[in-house]
Amino acid sequence: MNNLTRSLTRGLLSICLFFFLKSLISYVALSSFAVMSVDALFDHDDIVTVYYSSGIKGVGFREKQSKHSETFDRDRRSTQRVYLNNHVVRKMRVDLGRETGEVKLFGFTLTSRFGPDIVFTPGEIYEQFVPNMAIHSYTLEADHVVAAVS
């Protein structure tokens, strides 16, 4: 091999290594979240359960990849934190409690130690989260989303 071929090979390997490391950092660090804050008002005492998935192993959510909030007190708007312990989150499911009733969602915030917070406004919650079969009505109001859970 002459010097030009060696230089081109090293340059190509350096570029490949750079893109590999960039992808790895993007996947692990920028998709790792420590906390999800849920700003909500319940008409009953209940909790929120957050299921998360890295997207690598299948498409479903598993109980072992879920975390619960503290209890939301009835008729009191509050923000509860769900500690995700810096797990990689590519897919997310938010279950709005174990009891029937009405829930008003004012916002979600995903907090990472490696990047900026990701804030979901009521409009973004309404557009980006699909209600499951337990939610029989799902409407966007002026400053919140109303979900009727059955």
Side-chain angles (χ1 to χ4, degrees), residues 27-45:
Y27 181 78
V28 175
L30 299 180
S31 297
S32 297
F33 296 100
V35 176
M36 179 176 184
S37 299
V38 179
D39 181 7
L41 182 135
F42 283 71
D43 70 353
H44 58 284
D45 292 343

Side-chain angles (χ1 to χ4, degrees), residues 5-139:
T5 305
R6 281 188 194 142
S7 294
L8 288 174
T9 303
R10 286 182 184 157
L12 184 59
L13 286 174
S14 296
I15 290 171
C16 290
L17 181 61
F18 169 78
F19 282 110
F20 171 76
L21 290 175
K22 179 179 178 270
S23 298
L24 183 64
I25 289 169
S26 174
Y27 181 78
V28 175
L30 299 180
S31 297
S32 297
F33 296 100
V35 176
M36 179 176 184
S37 299
V38 179
D39 181 7
L41 182 135
F42 283 71
D43 70 353
H44 58 284
D45 292 343
D46 216 332
I47 64 169
V48 166
T49 304
V50 176
Y51 292 85
Y52 53 90
S53 172
S54 64
I56 295 173
K57 297 177 184 175
V59 293
F61 294 100
R62 296 185 175 99
E63 194 65 36
K64 70 179 184 175
Q65 291 178 304
S66 69
K67 301 291 181 180
H68 305 284
S69 71
E70 294 294 321
T71 301
F72 283 86
D73 294 327
R74 174 188 182 137
D75 297 327
R76 195 174 117 227
R77 180 179 172 181
S78 63
T79 301
Q80 296 291 342
R81 296 171 152 239
V82 180
Y83 294 94
L84 303 175
N85 302 327
N86 286 318
H87 288 287
V88 173
V89 177
R90 290 287 188 184
K91 299 177 197 170
M92 179 182 300
R93 185 178 102 196
V94 180
D95 285 3
L96 300 176
R98 298 175 178 163
E99 307 294 328
T100 61
E102 185 178 270
V103 180
K104 294 180 181 177
L105 298 171
F106 296 91
F108 297 151
T109 303
L110 286 167
T111 302
S112 173
R113 293 190 180 111
F114 306 109
D117 288 356
I118 297 174
V119 177
F120 292 92
T121 64
E124 291 169 329
I125 292 170
Y126 184 77
E127 291 173 6
Q128 296 179 27
F129 286 82
V130 178
N132 65 20
M133 291 173 49
I135 297 176
H136 67 269
S137 106
Y138 188 69
T139 57

